Amino acid sequence: MSTHDVDDGTGGLDASIQYELDRPQNVGQGMIDSLNDFKAFRIAAPFFGMADTIALGAVFAVAGCGGPLIPFSAGRVDATEAGPETVPEPQQDLASHTEAFRRQGFTPTEMIGLVACGHTLGGVRQVDFPLVVTDTEDVLQTFDTTTNFDNAVVSEYLQNTTENILVVGPNVTTRSDFRIFSSDGNVTMQSFLSSDTFNETCGALIGRMINTVPNGVTLTEPISEPFDYVVSEPLFSYRNGTLSMATTLRVINPSDNPSRTITLLWADRQGSSCPSTGCTSPSTSLQQVVFSLIGNIQGLTGTRYSFNATINATTSLSKFWFEINENDGSDPVVVDNGGSGFVIEQDTIFIDNSRSENLFLSSSFTDIRKVVVAVRGDASSSVSITTFDPNSSASTPPYVLTVTTTELQLDESNPSEGGFTFFTANVSETVNFLNIVANVAGTSYTQENFDMTVVNFPFVTL
């Protein structure tokens, strides 16, 4: 984020680092390794930009090493070119560092805090900075003696026991940490001897750092607590006159109640609620949710309830919602997206989950997806899919998404049925859909942002 200029509002955490790795100030295998890790994460979270992924990586790194939980906001916009060469370097003098941090939006005191917070982890690699680590036998000089996010970098400095090479290194010119730490007579560093003060300050400063974005970019409200309920992408299929919809509801921290029942309800396309006997479906199974690092730190538990509803294909559905009944005399809890329900915008086109397949081509040892799209229309309809591949073909940064539009063909293996015609195309297993567009009898229909990571196609070897 050091590309930010508080004076004109440009730069910040925008992933421009991908285009800046040829600069001496960004030297090191760690930059490339981190971006490669982030690239892999985006395969599982395809609608996440690289800048948001870098910010989330910082949140996980700090928490995973024992530091404070930093609230995460999304919405960063990835840059398409390099930013200015403004990363502070260890050979620069104190005035240069003070001005660099001012330009990024931080005071001299906050500069001390950011360097201390940043240097509680990691170190300096000899191969990257031979003028700093002059001993060729010394592969890595760490900033302190612990591997945790803690204030050891502070206490060791104040006790004169530090081996931080940016404080006591043989090259006086590159003792940047010493110049910064001592710039206010060690007043700020003395305050960081309190672990609580150190963690509180670091959480606030790193939070500000990852939320530093160019003017015109608006981030979401901080996401510091999990949603009570999460609904998965609904998956549809049509066979033998019946429309099926599969989805799940994740419930956070549910009480241990074996009598609990959760019911899926829906309204037809005319918007009227169906009779209770005809538009409800009980959960078919449940499983315990496995949380990642942050959830485990917060002590979260969760249960995911699965549903597979059979729906009248003619009346179809316009929205769905859930009722949670503890069966203890209390009123049921309605999960309905704030009163609007979870809306199904259209039912003219959808990926048919039961007819689509994952295919393994044994001749070439490649995995592909046979995607089948159901269309309420005849063979004169036209269907196309626009996909992007988060698994960029580039072996090194920058990682730019590949966007492709593919025309679907009539699926001869799935004859028309019940007013539906089926179209198909083979795509890479790593792609995700930006949209499906169909022209049916002169009317255009679109399904957008379909997350393929939730799809569970059957697997076939050819």
Side-chain angles (χ1 to χ4, degrees):
M1 59 71 62
S2 65
T3 58
H4 184 65
D5 189 332
V6 71
D7 296 326
D8 62 16
T10 59
L13 186 47
D14 58 7
S16 65
I17 185 67
Q18 295 187 97
Y19 303 93
E20 301 160 2
L21 297 177
D22 57 345
R23 299 174 178 174
Q25 61 188 215
N26 294 327
V27 69
Q29 187 63 31
M31 294 286 190
I32 297 174
D33 288 347
S34 294
L35 288 168
N36 282 335
D37 286 343
F38 298 151
K39 170 189 172 184
F41 170 81
R42 293 179 67 200
I43 296 174
F47 294 102
F48 237 60
M50 181 61 82
D52 273 348
T53 304
I54 293 172
L56 189 62
V59 171
F60 269 71
V62 171
C65 292
L69 289 178
I70 300 171
F72 172 77
S73 294
R76 293 163 192 81
V77 177
D78 289 356
T80 57
E81 60 184 7
E85 299 185 34
T86 50
V87 177
E89 298 181 82
Q91 73 274 12
Q92 294 171 332
D93 60 21
L94 180 63
S96 298
H97 284 148
T98 302
E99 171 57 19
F101 278 88
R102 184 208 66 79
R103 186 176 57 249
Q104 296 164 27
F106 297 100
T107 67
T109 298
E110 291 168 340
M111 172 182 68
I112 298 170
L114 273 174
V115 174
C117 296
H119 288 181
T120 179
L121 301 174
V124 183
R125 284 163 48 98
Q126 196 279 331
V127 68
D128 299 328
F129 293 93
L131 297 181
V132 178
V133 184
T134 55
D135 185 353
T136 57
E137 300 296 319
D138 199 349
V139 176
L140 175 69
Q141 273 273 1
T142 56
F143 295 124
D144 65 24
T145 57
T146 74
T147 58
N148 300 325
F149 192 101
D150 56 28
N151 63 349
V153 67
V154 174
S155 60
E156 292 170 11
Y157 162 77
L158 291 173
Q159 294 164 6
N160 292 319
T161 61
T162 184
E163 296 182 5
N164 180 351
I165 202 161
L166 299 183
V167 173
V168 296
N171 188 339
V172 176
T173 303
T174 58
R175 292 181 181 176
S176 54
D177 279 14
F178 173 77
R179 291 190 289 272
I180 291 172
F181 291 166
S182 62
S183 60
D184 67 350
N186 290 331
V187 172
T188 300
M189 294 295 277
Q190 288 285 351
S191 72
F192 287 160
L193 285 173
S194 163
S195 295
D196 289 342
T197 299
F198 182 76
N199 280 341
E200 182 179 343
T201 302
C202 290
L205 287 175
I206 296 174
R208 277 179 53 196
M209 183 175 67
I210 64 175
N211 289 340
T212 298
V213 294
N215 282 353
V217 176
T218 301
L219 301 181
T220 67
E221 289 297 314
I223 305 168
S224 56
E225 297 295 332
F227 297 120
D228 291 333
Y229 308 102
V230 172
V231 180
S232 69
E233 190 97 46
L235 306 177
F236 293 94
S237 180
Y238 177 83
R239 283 188 185 276
N240 303 320
T242 297
L243 182 66
S244 300
M245 183 187 76
T247 188
T248 64
L249 175 68
R250 190 218 68 189
V251 181
I252 203 74
N253 294 336
S255 60
D256 186 13
N257 181 7
S259 300
R260 178 186 302 111
T261 57
I262 301 184
T263 304
L264 168 71
L265 303 94
W266 64 90
D268 61 30
R269 292 304 297 177
Q270 285 69 46
S272 59
S273 297
C274 307
S276 60
T277 56
C279 81
T280 65
S281 180
S283 60
T284 55
S285 64
L286 59 86
Q287 64 180 117
Q288 298 306 304
V289 176
V290 177
F291 285 97
S292 63
L293 170 71
I294 302 296
N296 290 332
I297 292 173
Q298 293 178 313
L300 301 178
T301 62
T303 303
R304 181 172 288 108
Y305 296 84
S306 298
F307 302 85
N308 199 335
T310 299
I311 300 166
N312 183 297
T314 302
T315 56
S316 189
L317 79 165
S318 60
K319 63 181 179 179
F320 64 95
W321 63 97
F322 303 88
E323 283 190 0
I324 303 175
N325 194 334
E326 300 295 340
N327 293 306
D328 58 1
S330 61
D331 292 335
V333 174
V334 178
V335 181
D336 61 358
N337 199 24
S340 62
F342 300 96
V343 175
I344 306 299
E345 296 289 351
Q346 55 81 31
D347 66 343
T348 300
I349 60 171
F350 55 85
I351 293 178
D352 194 306
N353 191 53
S354 70
R355 297 173 190 266
S356 301
E357 297 174 320
N358 286 313
L359 304 177
F360 175 69
L361 304 181
S362 56
S363 58
S364 57
F365 293 96
T366 56
D367 293 315
I368 62 173
R369 283 176 169 148
K370 177 188 176 183
V371 177
V372 178
V373 174
V375 176
R376 286 186 188 265
D378 58 27
S380 67
S381 304
S382 62
V383 185
S384 65
I385 54 175
T386 301
T387 60
F388 69 95
D389 193 344
N391 187 23
S392 168
S393 59
S395 58
T396 58
Y399 297 124
V400 180
L401 298 179
T402 302
V403 179
T404 305
T405 298
T406 304
E407 296 293 329
L408 276 67
Q409 304 301 314
L410 195 64
D411 188 354
E412 301 292 348
S413 64
N414 284 295
S416 298
E417 177 187 341
F420 283 97
T421 304
F422 302 96
F423 295 81
T424 188
N426 291 339
V427 298
S428 167
E429 68 163 346
T430 60
V431 304
N432 272 267
F433 291 161
L434 283 174
N435 59 50
I436 309 169
V437 176
N439 188 290
V440 183
T443 301
S444 182
Y445 298 89
T446 302
Q447 181 181 4
E448 296 184 333
N449 297 345
F450 190 86
D451 185 358
M452 293 297 290
T453 62
V454 305
V455 175
N456 186 26
F457 294 165
F459 198 89
V460 178
T461 300
L462 298 179

